[in-house]
């Protein structure tokens, strides 16, 4: 099982949970598993063309999966995934 | 057996190594710590560039703090080579293994026409005010002088801008520019600690100025009571050493990024949402830029503002203070600034994490240094408008 750290803005889709777990050999498989359990969250983690999500960045441990193998990045058992949204607030 | 001063010098010189000024000059910049063991008033009238002052009388008590590693090569000098011979002997006795004294001292160095400079010195008042800084070997009087000479532009005198401005002013940053078009409102005061109830209705830049000059009259405040736009951003930002971004919307953040790529000024980034914060340093062409990280902004439902979603008042205090720290590190050239790293903070979990950020070689904003992005007014979609040839 892989732990996924969710930002505040996406916790509305998990009943407030900050961390969820899901299984999968790759990031894409983990996201598919998330999508079947939390469809609204799954929508935010996919793009219409089946590629990487557009509005959030995905980190496997501390590495951006855009610079690994994208959704095909293999997920180690002990790795965790962090979803990072852009945040504008400052005032 | 009683000894004369001359006998003591001769005894010390017999037990230490001496080098001539030409040899010391060749060692500048090779990792040798050059220590000037004269008195402060002698040092202030001229010293070898890069030398640090540790007066002979403070040598034993201060050396371990200034140079903790006893294998560090040390070259020590005084005015004529006598005090430094005694000093070198003391350092050897204290376990420093690679110490030399410069024969002839600064007098001979100068008479041989070698390079020297008048160190920037602090006034008596400044020496007291900044003493907790100058005690730090990483800062010292030279570092404090750099801060006094630095110019930092703060975008926003709000949640992030308040603590950043207060700490940068307290630190003695010479010029603080502040951009904000808003006026103080009572709903700001839960977090925007630059302002107070007497200032409600006053432009934030003016309120900020009053607070900051009361804290530190050394600091010059430049007020920009205006909204940043494509038309004014280059003029406002140019001339600053560091920009601290405490803005609250995506169009401004992308605009600041574009302008920073034109002017090649590092931007200290901070952003907050409810209990979460982010901080990074976008150093043009040395690390990723804001658009490398976020090629486009999220739709409004994914990024509500603090006004819509709330924010715990202490959160910008923490993130804005981190921004001030990063700005000071950039000015002093110390430590590892958050270039290519995003620090995330979760206040409820009290958890800090660092994520690695990479420069996107295909980035439409920073992909080509000779073609920075065109400066355009952004709508909520913040789409890049293409690039222009570098003019600055």
């Amino acid at each position: 099982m892989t732990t996924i750290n969710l930002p505040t803005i996406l916790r509305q889709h998990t009943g407030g949970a900050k961390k969820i777990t899901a299984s999968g050999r790759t990031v894409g498989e983990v996201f598919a598993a998330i999508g079947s359990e939390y469809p609204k969250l799954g929508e935010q983690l996919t793009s219409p063309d089946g590629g990487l999500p557009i509005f959030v960045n995905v980190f496997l441990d501390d590495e951006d999966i855009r610079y690994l193998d994208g959704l095909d990045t293999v997920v180690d058992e002990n790795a965790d995934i962090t979803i990072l949204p852009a945040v504008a607030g400052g005032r | 057996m009683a000894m004369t001063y001359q006998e003591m010098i001769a005894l010390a010189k017999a037990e230490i190594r001496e080098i001539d000024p030409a040899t010391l000059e060749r060692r500048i910049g090779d990792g040798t710590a050059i220590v000037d063991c004269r008195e402060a008033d002698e040092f202030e009238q001229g010293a070898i560039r890069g030398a640090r002052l540790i007066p002979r009388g403070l040598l034993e008590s201060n050396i371990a703090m200034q140079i903790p590693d006893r294998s560090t090569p040390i070259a020590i000098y005084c005015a004529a080579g006598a005090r430094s011979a005694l000093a070198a002997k003391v350092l050897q006795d204290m376990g420093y293994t690679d110490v030399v004294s410069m024969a002839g001292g600064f007098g001979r160095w100068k008479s041989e026409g070698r390079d020297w400079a008048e160190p920037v010195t602090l006034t008596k008042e400044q020496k007291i005010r900044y003493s907790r800084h100058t005690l730090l070997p990483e800062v010292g009087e030279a570092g404090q002088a750099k801060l006094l000479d630095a110019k930092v532009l703060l975008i926003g005198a709000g949640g992030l801008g308040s603590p950043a401005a207060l700490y940068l002013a307290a630190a003695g940053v010479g010029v603080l520019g502040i951009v904000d078009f808003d006026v103080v409102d009572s709903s700001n005061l839960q977090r925007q600690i630059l302002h107070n109830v007497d200032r409600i209705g006053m432009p934030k830049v003016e309120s900020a100025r009053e607070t900051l000059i009361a804290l530190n009259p050394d600091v010059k405040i430049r007020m920009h009571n205006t909204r940043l736009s494509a038309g004014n951003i280059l003029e406002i930002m140019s001339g600053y050493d560091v920009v601290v971004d405490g803005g609250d919307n995506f169009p401004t953040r992308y605009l600041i990024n574009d302008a920073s790529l034109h002017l090649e000024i590092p931007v200290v980034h901070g952003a907050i949402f409810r209990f979460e914060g982010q901080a990074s340093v976008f150093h043009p062409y040395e690390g990723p830029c804001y658009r490398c990280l976020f090629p486009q902004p999220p739709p409004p439902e994914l990024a509500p503002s603090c006004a819509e979603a709330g924010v715990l008042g202490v959160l910008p205090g923490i993130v804005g203070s981190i921004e001030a720290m990063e700005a000071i590190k950039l000015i002093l050239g110390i430590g590892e600034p958050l270039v290519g790293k995003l620090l995330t903070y979760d206040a409820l979990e009290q958890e800090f994490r660092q994520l690695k950020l990479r420069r996107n070689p295909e980035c439409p904003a920073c992909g080509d240094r000779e073609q920075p992005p065109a400066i355009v007014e952004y709508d909520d979609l913040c789409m890049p408008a293409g690039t222009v040839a570098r003019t600055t």
Side-chain angles (χ1 to χ4, degrees):
Chain A
M1 293 289 254
T2 302
T3 300
I4 299 99
N5 301 304
L6 296 172
T8 308
I9 194 71
L10 294 180
R11 293 175 196 162
Q12 54 186 311
H13 305 309
T14 60
K18 295 174 176 185
K19 292 176 195 283
I20 56 171
T21 55
S23 303
R25 199 181 52 84
T26 63
V27 174
E29 288 181 16
V30 170
F31 282 4
I34 294 171
S36 59
E37 195 173 351
Y38 306 102
K40 290 271 187 200
L41 177 57
E43 282 172 30
Q44 300 294 343
L45 300 180
T46 50
S47 72
D49 62 2
L52 289 169
I54 298 169
F55 300 118
V56 294
N57 290 320
V58 180
F59 289 80
L60 182 66
D61 290 331
D62 60 355
E63 293 282 356
D64 188 333
I65 65 163
R66 283 187 289 173
Y67 302 102
L68 299 173
D69 295 320
L71 294 175
D72 295 329
T73 303
V74 173
V75 179
D76 275 343
E77 216 166 86
N78 296 323
D80 65 358
I81 291 175
T82 297
I83 309 295
L84 182 85
V87 174
R91 298 170 36 149
Chain B
M1 185 190 78
M3 281 195 290
T4 65
Y5 176 62
Q6 285 73 18
E7 285 166 343
M8 286 184 74
I9 302 291
L11 197 61
K13 284 190 177 177
E15 291 185 41
I16 60 150
R17 281 188 297 138
E18 284 189 297
I19 56 172
D20 61 12
T23 308
L24 177 57
E25 192 167 41
R26 282 196 295 275
R27 290 182 59 176
I28 289 175
D30 75 351
T32 300
I34 300 174
V35 174
D36 187 323
C37 69
R38 296 175 298 164
E39 297 304 308
D41 58 333
E42 298 174 274
F43 179 76
E44 283 162 17
Q45 289 169 36
I48 296 176
R49 224 180 273 274
R52 70 182 86 192
L53 173 69
I54 311 179
R56 175 73 189 84
L58 300 175
L59 190 66
E60 292 90 336
S61 60
N62 284 12
I63 190 72
M65 206 160 53
Q66 296 266 353
I67 304 175
D69 179 358
R70 283 166 201 243
S71 64
T72 306
I74 297 173
I76 193 160
Y77 73 92
C78 60
R83 278 174 289 175
S84 64
L86 295 171
K89 171 75 169 65
V90 161
L91 292 179
Q92 277 180 197
D93 291 346
M94 290 178 77
Y96 287 85
T97 55
D98 185 0
V99 185
V100 293
S101 166
M102 186 174 78
F106 186 62
R108 180 170 159 198
W109 176 278
K110 249 172 107 173
S111 69
E112 290 179 5
R114 301 185 193 281
D115 182 44
W116 60 278
E118 266 180 45
V120 182
T121 51
L122 308 180
T123 65
K124 216 164 136 194
E125 292 74 25
Q126 287 172 332
K127 281 183 183 175
I128 296 166
R129 171 180 276 272
Y130 303 116
S131 62
R132 300 302 187 279
H133 273 172
T134 54
L135 281 168
L136 299 167
E138 292 81 356
V139 183
E141 290 207 5
Q144 188 60 49
K146 278 189 200 170
L147 289 170
L148 288 164
D149 197 37
K151 301 183 184 74
V152 176
L153 181 67
L154 292 146
I155 315 281
L160 294 171
S162 284
L166 283 163
Y167 275 120
L168 292 172
V173 167
V175 175
L176 278 180
I178 304 172
V179 188
D180 206 305
F181 63 90
D182 212 353
V183 295
V184 179
D185 180 89
S186 81
S187 70
N188 300 147
L189 301 179
Q190 154 264 21
R191 65 197 180 285
Q192 299 184 11
I193 56 175
L194 273 175
H195 314 299
N196 63 45
V197 282
D198 294 335
R199 315 262 178 81
I200 288 170
M202 182 189 280
K204 285 188 180 174
V205 290
E206 282 177 30
S207 169
R209 183 175 170 278
E210 283 190 18
T211 302
L212 297 172
I213 58 172
L215 175 61
N216 190 348
D218 277 351
V219 179
K220 288 188 190 66
I221 309 293
R222 288 188 197 154
M223 296 186 287
H224 302 277
N225 189 5
T226 182
R227 189 187 289 264
L228 273 185
S229 69
N232 65 17
I233 190 163
L234 289 177
E235 192 189 329
I236 289 175
M237 262 173 62
S238 67
Y240 285 97
D241 301 308
V242 178
V243 171
V244 174
D245 183 2
D248 66 348
N249 64 82
F250 287 110
T252 305
R253 290 188 186 271
Y254 283 98
L255 190 62
I256 292 166
N257 188 59
D258 291 349
S260 77
L261 293 168
H262 267 271
L263 301 169
E264 303 197 0
I265 301 172
V267 176
V268 181
H269 168 82
I272 48 170
F273 181 71
R274 290 198 167 166
F275 295 96
E276 286 174 340
Q278 301 178 355
S280 187
V281 172
F282 297 113
H283 207 311
Y285 311 106
E286 283 187 24
C289 79
Y290 188 61
R291 202 178 283 279
C292 294
L293 176 61
F294 298 117
Q296 59 187 95
E301 67 270 20
L302 266 186
S305 70
C306 294
E308 296 158 335
V311 61
L312 196 86
V314 186
L315 178 68
I318 291 167
V319 177
S321 299
I322 289 170
E323 289 190 85
M325 181 66 91
E326 291 300 303
I328 286 173
K329 281 162 61 185
L330 289 170
I331 293 163
L332 296 178
I334 60 171
E336 294 289 328
L338 288 169
V339 177
K341 291 176 278 193
L342 184 80
L343 183 73
T344 66
Y345 173 59
D346 180 329
L348 291 179
E349 304 290 320
Q350 284 298 16
E351 186 177 71
F352 285 96
R353 294 191 61 180
Q354 273 194 33
L355 302 170
K356 287 182 197 154
L357 307 183
R358 298 194 191 278
R359 200 171 157 200
N360 176 7
E362 308 289 314
C363 177
C366 76
D368 181 353
R369 190 170 191 159
E370 291 314 308
Q371 299 277 330
I375 303 292
V376 295
E377 218 61 70
Y378 284 124
D379 58 15
D380 289 342
L381 296 177
C382 300
M383 295 311 287
T387 58
V388 295
R390 172 169 296 286
T391 52
T392 50

